[in-house]
Amino acid sequence: MKHIYERTAKYSKLGSLILFTLYIVVILIFRDVMWKDFETHISVGITLLFLYSISFFFQNAAEKLPVEQQVNVHMYSIDFPVSELNFQRDVSLIPRSYLVSNKGERLYKITPTADHPLMQRLSAFVILRMGLFFPITYELKTMDGELVSQFSIKNKIKFMQLKVYDHTKTQKSTVVLPIFSVKNRAVVFDANGEKIHQMEAKNMSGDIDVDNFDGKRLATYRFGIFPYATHPAFEAQAMNIHVSLAHDLLHTEKLTLTALFYYWTANN
């Protein structure tokens, strides 16, 4: 997470300098109109000060974190031996997220697949990231680039369809979700089309508990507060997403829940 805070500080400072330069150019071009427009000067000045202050805030947060050590890629391999999912979004035009440890170490990365370069570029637009207008495929990879899973999101008019594949690109499950809903809801089917799980959020923005038909808890979703949310790797984030997985989940269930919670939280 250290690098994310450092990049946020860098881009905030760069943005404030670019805005300042552009504003000076506008004043010089339209000096007859702009020179005495003190209200605009004050508004832009406050905006510049805010952006510049953000850079110091995130730089200070980065300095609290130790230099990130490279994770053991043999431990965090395509076998996906995780019991929790902490989603952290990177500072990038093309969406790039990481699954991180409780100390903020990057374990896996999620990005639009490079197999579809046009959609990869179009995913820079938030409205196109979640497959509402055009199908999009994401890849879950290890930190050294090994494919763990793929999941594709497609609008089927009456519902959103999320197909999950393993590292061999063999379909393992399908998730059906409402296009618009007050609460997060989903139904999960296996590769043979048999319904295996159904879930719904407790309320509009609260917790989500995923149970099977026998009442066994498979996963819990918590927003903002969890046991180590005050760790410097998380405290400067406006949005913190934490998913706890049952320890005896099947590999396919882990991949499916990872894709599902990414879909639910990607634009947070």
Side-chain angles (χ1 to χ4, degrees), residues 74-92:
H74 298 292
M75 179 180 296
Y76 295 101
S77 63
I78 61 174
D79 295 330
F80 203 50
V82 297
S83 59
E84 61 183 5
L85 309 171
N86 297 304
F87 292 94
Q88 296 286 2
R89 189 168 57 192
D90 201 351
V91 181
S92 174

Side-chain angles (χ1 to χ4, degrees), residues 1 3-4 68-88 97-110 139-148 228 234 242-243 245 258:
M1 293 305 298
H3 80 289
I4 293 180
E68 182 179 339
Q69 300 297 316
Q70 186 173 4
V71 299
N72 186 339
V73 294
H74 298 292
M75 179 180 296
Y76 295 101
S77 63
I78 61 174
D79 295 330
F80 203 50
V82 297
S83 59
E84 61 183 5
L85 309 171
N86 297 304
F87 292 94
Q88 296 286 2
S97 295
Y98 295 103
L99 298 178
V100 303
S101 71
N102 57 4
K103 296 180 180 179
E105 300 162 326
R106 292 173 289 173
L107 308 179
Y108 294 93
K109 53 188 174 184
I110 302 175
E139 291 181 333
L140 169 66
K141 290 185 175 182
T142 63
M143 292 308 298
D144 63 347
E146 290 292 321
L147 181 66
V148 177
Y228 39 81
F234 299 92
H242 175 76
V243 178
L245 303 175
T258 300

Side-chain angles (χ1 to χ4, degrees), residues 35-261:
W35 189 253
K36 296 182 179 180
D37 189 353
F38 296 108
E39 290 185 1
T40 302
H41 297 335
I42 293 172
S43 298
V44 173
I46 292 174
T47 302
L48 288 170
L49 181 62
F50 178 72
L51 283 174
Y52 207 71
S53 298
I54 286 177
S55 68
F56 287 101
F57 173 77
F58 279 97
Q59 187 61 47
N60 182 60
E63 291 171 356
K64 294 181 181 179
L65 296 171
V67 176
E68 182 179 339
Q69 300 297 316
Q70 186 173 4
V71 299
N72 186 339
V73 294
H74 298 292
M75 179 180 296
Y76 295 101
S77 63
I78 61 174
D79 295 330
F80 203 50
V82 297
S83 59
E84 61 183 5
L85 309 171
N86 297 304
F87 292 94
Q88 296 286 2
R89 189 168 57 192
D90 201 351
V91 181
S92 174
L93 285 177
I94 294 176
R96 179 170 55 204
S97 295
Y98 295 103
L99 298 178
V100 303
S101 71
N102 57 4
K103 296 180 180 179
E105 300 162 326
R106 292 173 289 173
L107 308 179
Y108 294 93
K109 53 188 174 184
I110 302 175
T111 57
T113 178
D115 294 341
H116 305 144
L118 177 60
M119 275 309 303
Q120 184 186 46
R121 290 175 174 81
L122 289 177
S123 65
F125 299 96
V126 175
I127 196 171
L128 300 179
R129 291 180 182 178
M130 302 316 298
L132 191 61
F133 299 101
F134 304 100
I136 186 168
T137 300
Y138 288 88
E139 291 181 333
L140 169 66
K141 290 185 175 182
T142 63
M143 292 308 298
D144 63 347
E146 290 292 321
L147 181 66
V148 177
S149 174
Q150 275 191 347
F151 55 94
S152 62
I153 307 170
K154 185 176 183 180
N155 186 344
K156 302 293 284 186
I157 307 302
K158 293 184 178 180
F159 57 87
M160 297 298 295
Q161 176 183 271
L162 195 158
K163 288 188 175 182
V164 182
Y165 306 83
D166 64 11
H167 68 284
T168 66
K169 300 185 180 179
T170 301
Q171 185 179 345
K172 307 302 290 185
S173 64
T174 301
V175 184
V176 173
L177 310 102
I179 295 179
F180 300 106
S181 178
V182 174
K183 299 180 181 180
N184 286 324
R185 293 185 289 121
V187 180
V188 183
F189 301 87
D190 64 18
N192 298 316
E194 295 292 328
K195 182 178 176 180
I196 54 177
H197 301 306
Q198 183 170 331
M199 61 209 75
E200 180 176 307
K202 291 181 179 179
N203 52 57
M204 291 177 60
S205 60
D207 302 338
I208 302 173
D209 294 328
V210 180
D211 300 334
N212 65 9
F213 294 127
D214 298 324
K216 177 186 174 183
R217 183 62 43 85
L218 302 178
T220 59
Y221 160 94
R222 299 294 181 262
F223 160 72
I225 299 176
F226 43 88
Y228 39 81
T230 56
H231 188 281
F234 299 92
E235 66 180 5
Q237 292 283 319
M239 308 287 286
N240 285 315
I241 305 299
H242 175 76
V243 178
S244 295
L245 303 175
H247 292 288
D248 56 349
L249 283 183
L250 299 175
H251 183 67
T252 295
E253 291 177 317
K254 287 185 178 182
L255 297 181
T256 301
L257 289 173
T258 300
L260 174 60
F261 281 105

